Amino acid sequence: MTSEPGLFGDDAFARVADAVAQPAASYDPVLFGHDATERIVAAEILGNALRVWRRDAGGHVLKEDRHVSPWLLVAERAAAPPGSELVELEGPGLRWLCLLRDWREYRSTRMNLRDQHAEYLAYAGSTRTALTISGITLFKGMSLQDVHRMQIDIETDGLDPEGANNRILLIAVSDNRGCRCALEGEEPDLLRELNHLVVQLDPDIIEGHNIHGFDLPFIAARCRRHGIAPALGRDGMAMVSLPRRTFSIGGITRPLEPWHIPGRHVIDTLLAVQRFDWAKGSLTSYGLKPVARALGISAEDRVELPRDQMAQLYQTDRARVLTYALQDVQETAALAEMVTATEFYQTQMVPDAYGLSAVSGAGEKINAIFIRAYLAGQHAIPLPSPTRSYEGGHTALLRTGVIHHVVKADVESLYPSIMLTSKIRPSTDRLGIFLPMLAELTRRRLEAKSLARAASGQAERYWDGLQNSFKVLINSFYGYLGAGGFNFNDPDAAAEVTRIGRVIVKDIAQRMEASGSSIIEIDTDGVYFVPPSGIDDEPAERSYIAEIDRGLPEGIRLAFDGRYRTMLSVKTKNYVLLDYGGKRTFKGASLRSRADEPYGRAFLVEAVDLMLAGKTAEIRTLYLDTAARLRQRQVPIERLARRERITEKTFTSEAKARQASVAAGAQVGDYLDVYERSNGQLERVENYVPGDENVAYYVDKLYKFASRLRDAIGDGFDRLIPRPSNGIIVEAATLDLFGDEA
C-alpha cells in the first residue's frame, strides 16, 4: 500500500525545504539530521528497538528504546518484498520505500535482493539503517571533551593469543576523567577486573593504538580460553568481531577486521593517525612511540622497552614495565585528542556509529547525508550515473634542479570554490542540498585554518591537521561527483569543475610570467615560482600575490602559501623544500618512500642535502663510498631489507610468487621485512645468514636510487654517477662540472 505523508514527522519535509532556502548557518536539518536530540552517545538495534544512550550535562547516562522500522529502497514496485509497507517517493530512481516488520526479516530480504540482482539500496549495518531513517546523529551539542573516553593497552607474553603460555601480563587503563591504573594478577582475574572497570567507568569511547589489530582480538581470545565473556559493552553485552571491510585513507583502501563493543565506540589511533597524516605525509612511521615523538606529545622520561623481552622484564623490573604501559595509554589519549576530532565532529552529521564512521570513506559519508535528507523529504534516491573519463587538473613542470628564492601561491579550495561560485552541483540533486553542505564545511575548514595561524606548538599542529582533514573531506565533494557507485554522482559536472580549474590556474601562471616571475611547477591549484627582481621579502611576496589575486574571478582567492630558501625540483610532484629556518620538506615517492630500503632512503637524503648546500659534485664520493660499503658487506641487513605488505594477491598472483615464498604463516595485512639473497630469492630478515645478501643487486639498486636525481642533476649525471655492471663500478676520472655552488 502507499502511505500518506507525515511518515517522518509532521513537518520533516518542510524543515528540509526551508533549510535549503536559508543561509548556510541554518542548514542543520540537512547536515545534522532532522531529529534534533542532543547528547546521544550511542545507539544500537536490540531486538526490534533502537536503544539510545544519552549523557546528560551532569555526566549521567540515560537510555531509552525507540521504534524504528527497518527499511530499504527498490526501483520497481514488483521487487518490493511481500508484506512490506510501501511508500512511493517523489521523482525517478529508487522510488519505493519498503518498511519491514522486523530486523531479522530485513537482513534476509537484503540478501534475497542481492541474489536477484535487483536495483535496490540497503545498508549492511542496522545502526546506519536506523539512524538514517530516524534522522538521529550522535554527539550533537557535545565537544570531544564532553564524551567519556577510555584508553586501553595490554602487555603480553608473546604475540599469539592462542598460545597456552602467551598470557596477558597487565592491562593499562586511563580515561579523560582522571583514571590512570594498571590491572595485574592472574589472567582470569585480570580479564574479569577489566570487565568490571569498564562497566564501572562507563566510557562512551574506547581508544587504543592498533586496538582492532591486537588488543581486542587478544583479549577476546584469552577470554575464550578461560570461559569468560568479554562483556565490555553497555548493559552487559559482549564485544564481537565484525565482518572484514576496507579502511579508507585518502585515495587508497586497506583491509580491516574491526571489533564492536555494543553501546560504545572503538577508535583505533593507528588508523586515525594515518588519515590525519595523509594530506601532508610528514610522518615516517605510524607506531605509537615514533608518532608521539614526532608530534611532541611524548613524555620527556619516556621508557622504551624491547617487545620480545616484555615477560622477562615484567619479572625483573616490574615498575619499569608499569611505567612503560601507562605512558602508552597516556600517549594514546593525547594522540586521540589530536587526530580524531575531525571524525568525531563528522559523526554529528553522518548517520552512523562513530567507530564505523571513523573507517568510512569521505564519499560514503557524503552519500549517507544525501540519502537521509532525501528520505526525510520523501524524495526518491537516484541510481548512480555511469562513470566516464575526463581531463583532470592542469599540472606542468617547467624547471628542475636546485632553485633559490622560491614562493608558493595556492588557490584556496580551488574545486570547492569553483563549485560554489559557478553553482556546479549534481544534476540529480533536486532538493538542492549539495552546495549548502559544501558551503558549511568550507566555513569550518577556514575557521580551523585561521585558528592554526594564530596558535603555536601542539595547538598549531592540532588545528593544522584538522584543517587539512577538512580539506580532504571538502575536496571529496569534487571526487564524489566523478566517482562511481554514489547515488548523486555526476561525471559531467566533475568535468566542468576541472575545465574551469585549468583555465584559472593557467591564467595565474600567465599573469605571473608577464610580471617577471619564473614558474617552476604548476600542480592543479598551486604554483611554485621565483618572484620578479625586487620582490625580496615576505611582505613584498604577499603583496605581489595579492596583486595577482585581484584579477581573478569573484570567489576565487589566490593566497600566499609559503616561501623557501631553496627548492630541489626533481620531477612533477616530486621535490624538496628548504625553508629559511633550515627545515626540509620532502614531497613525492621518488625521494622518500616507505617502500624503499633504508640504505637507499638514507643515500637520497644525504644526496639531497649536498645539492641543497650547493655541493652536488660531492654526490659522487657519497655514491662510490656507499657502493664500496655494500660490496664489503658493511651495511647491516636491517638497512638492506624492505618491508613487504601481505595482500590477497601475494598468494594468488604469479607476479607475487617471490613474496609468497616467504609469506608462509603470515596473514593478509601483515608486514614482513625481507632481503634479497645471493641466489636471487627473497628471505625474511630474521632468517639472515651473514654473507647471504646479494651484493650485486644492492649496488645496482643504489644506482637506481641515484637515477631518481638524474633530471635534477642534469647533463653531468652520467659522469657523476657511473653505472655499475653486475655490482662493479668502474671509476673513471670526472671533470668538476658543478664548481662551487654554495
Side-chain angles (χ1 to χ4, degrees), residues 22 48 176 272 297 407 487 583 592 617 675 703 706:
Q22 299 299 321
N48 276 325
N176 63 340
I297 57 176
V407 179
N487 296 89
K583 178 183 176 182
R592 177 171 289 185
Y675 72 96
Y703 178 79

Side-chain angles (χ1 to χ4, degrees), residues 35 51 113 319 331 356 417 453 462 678:
D35 185 304
R51 180 158 296 175
L113 288 170
E331 287 182 352
L356 294 176
S417 297
R453 288 172 178 155
Y462 166 77
S678 56

Side-chain angles (χ1 to χ4, degrees), residues 431-672:
L431 282 180
I433 64 174
F434 183 89
L435 293 177
M437 285 168 58
L438 179 58
E440 175 63 10
L441 290 169
T442 300
R443 182 192 67 78
R444 288 170 178 259
R445 189 246 168 163
L446 294 177
E447 181 180 58
K449 195 170 185 177
S450 176
L451 289 168
R453 288 172 178 155
S456 61
Q458 183 175 330
E460 180 185 9
R461 289 191 294 272
Y462 166 77
W463 288 113
D464 187 52
L466 185 61
Q467 70 90 10
N468 268 302
S469 297
F470 274 131
K471 180 179 179 180
V472 171
L473 181 60
I474 290 166
N475 286 342
S476 295
F477 272 68
Y478 157 72
Y480 178 93
L481 289 176
F486 296 129
N487 296 89
F488 294 86
N489 67 339
D490 188 335
D492 291 337
E496 179 63 6
V497 172
T498 58
R499 185 195 68 78
I500 296 174
R502 293 192 298 274
V503 171
I504 290 172
V505 76
K506 288 178 181 178
D507 179 55
I508 290 170
Q510 290 169 0
R511 289 170 181 269
M512 287 181 170
E513 288 179 327
S515 60
S517 287
S518 173
I519 305 298
I520 303 168
E521 179 170 348
I522 304 169
D523 183 9
T524 304
D525 59 358
V527 180
Y528 285 99
F529 65 99
V530 177
S533 176
I535 309 295
D536 298 324
D537 56 18
E538 184 172 332
E541 292 159 2
R542 288 183 177 273
S543 296
Y544 173 75
I545 291 172
E547 183 63 30
I548 300 294
D549 173 66
R550 276 190 276 274
L552 297 180
E554 185 177 356
I556 304 298
R557 182 174 184 270
L558 184 67
F560 174 88
D561 197 36
R563 62 192 308 264
Y564 305 95
R565 182 187 301 277
T566 308
M567 178 179 186
L568 175 62
S569 175
V570 178
K571 64 178 185 177
T572 304
K573 300 184 181 183
N574 285 263
Y575 49 80
V576 182
L577 301 168
L578 177 68
D579 69 15
Y580 288 89
K583 178 183 176 182
R584 296 169 309 173
T585 300
F586 287 74
K587 174 71 173 181
S590 288
L591 299 175
R592 177 171 289 185
S593 170
R594 295 187 183 94
D596 291 336
E597 293 88 343
Y599 85 97
R601 292 201 303 267
F603 168 80
L604 284 171
V605 169
E606 291 184 57
V608 163
D609 284 346
L610 290 172
M611 295 184 74
L612 292 174
K615 301 176 181 178
T616 300
E618 295 183 19
I619 293 178
R620 178 181 174 85
T621 300
L622 172 66
Y623 173 73
L624 295 176
D625 286 350
T626 304
R629 288 191 295 110
L630 288 167
R631 289 196 304 272
Q632 295 162 15
R633 305 183 190 278
Q634 295 178 352
V635 179
I637 193 62
E638 292 79 14
R639 304 291 293 170
L640 300 179
R642 69 176 182 270
R643 176 155 285 194
E644 292 279 359
R645 182 170 173 273
I646 304 302
T647 68
E648 292 180 352
K649 289 185 177 180
T650 301
F651 304 103
T652 59
S653 170
E654 291 185 9
K656 297 283 187 179
R658 291 212 312 155
Q659 287 89 333
S661 68
V662 295
Q667 298 181 349
V668 172
D670 289 347
Y671 287 88
L672 300 178

Side-chain angles (χ1 to χ4, degrees), residues 104-261:
R104 180 179 299 178
E105 180 187 17
Y106 169 78
R107 287 185 283 272
S108 63
T109 300
R110 186 172 63 85
M111 294 296 101
N112 290 337
L113 288 170
R114 185 190 65 180
D115 293 342
Q116 295 167 14
H117 303 288
E119 290 183 328
Y120 76 101
L121 187 153
Y123 293 128
S126 57
T127 299
R128 177 185 283 189
T129 304
L131 295 182
T132 299
I133 201 74
S134 67
I136 293 171
T137 55
L138 308 182
F139 307 135
K140 279 200 286 275
M142 304 182 78
S143 71
L144 193 56
Q145 289 69 40
D146 292 328
V147 293
H148 189 172
R149 299 167 37 240
M150 172 187 280
Q151 298 77 39
I152 291 178
D153 179 71
I154 65 174
E155 301 301 335
T156 64
D157 183 357
L159 301 178
D160 179 10
E162 302 299 339
N165 298 320
N166 292 358
R167 65 179 292 262
I168 297 175
L169 302 171
L170 65 90
I171 303 177
V173 177
S174 66
D175 72 3
N176 63 340
R177 299 292 189 266
C179 174
R180 182 172 177 268
C181 64
L183 309 181
E184 302 178 81
E186 295 298 321
E187 190 173 56
D189 298 332
L190 188 67
L191 294 168
R192 292 188 185 97
E193 190 175 356
L194 176 64
N195 282 347
H196 175 74
L197 183 62
V198 171
V199 171
Q200 180 184 20
L201 295 178
D202 197 17
D204 306 314
I205 301 165
I206 295 181
E207 301 163 342
H209 203 75
N210 197 23
I211 193 170
H212 282 304
F214 182 70
D215 299 81
L216 292 186
F218 206 106
I219 290 170
R222 302 311 290 183
C223 281
R224 284 195 304 271
R225 187 173 192 85
H226 298 294
I228 299 170
L232 302 181
R234 284 193 160 112
D235 298 338
M237 291 183 282
M239 67 178 182
V240 295
S241 61
L242 298 178
R244 188 178 182 188
R245 59 166 296 154
T246 56
F247 164 59
S248 300
I249 310 171
I252 63 173
T253 59
R254 295 178 180 172
L256 171 67
E257 295 183 3
W259 284 77
H260 176 58
I261 300 179

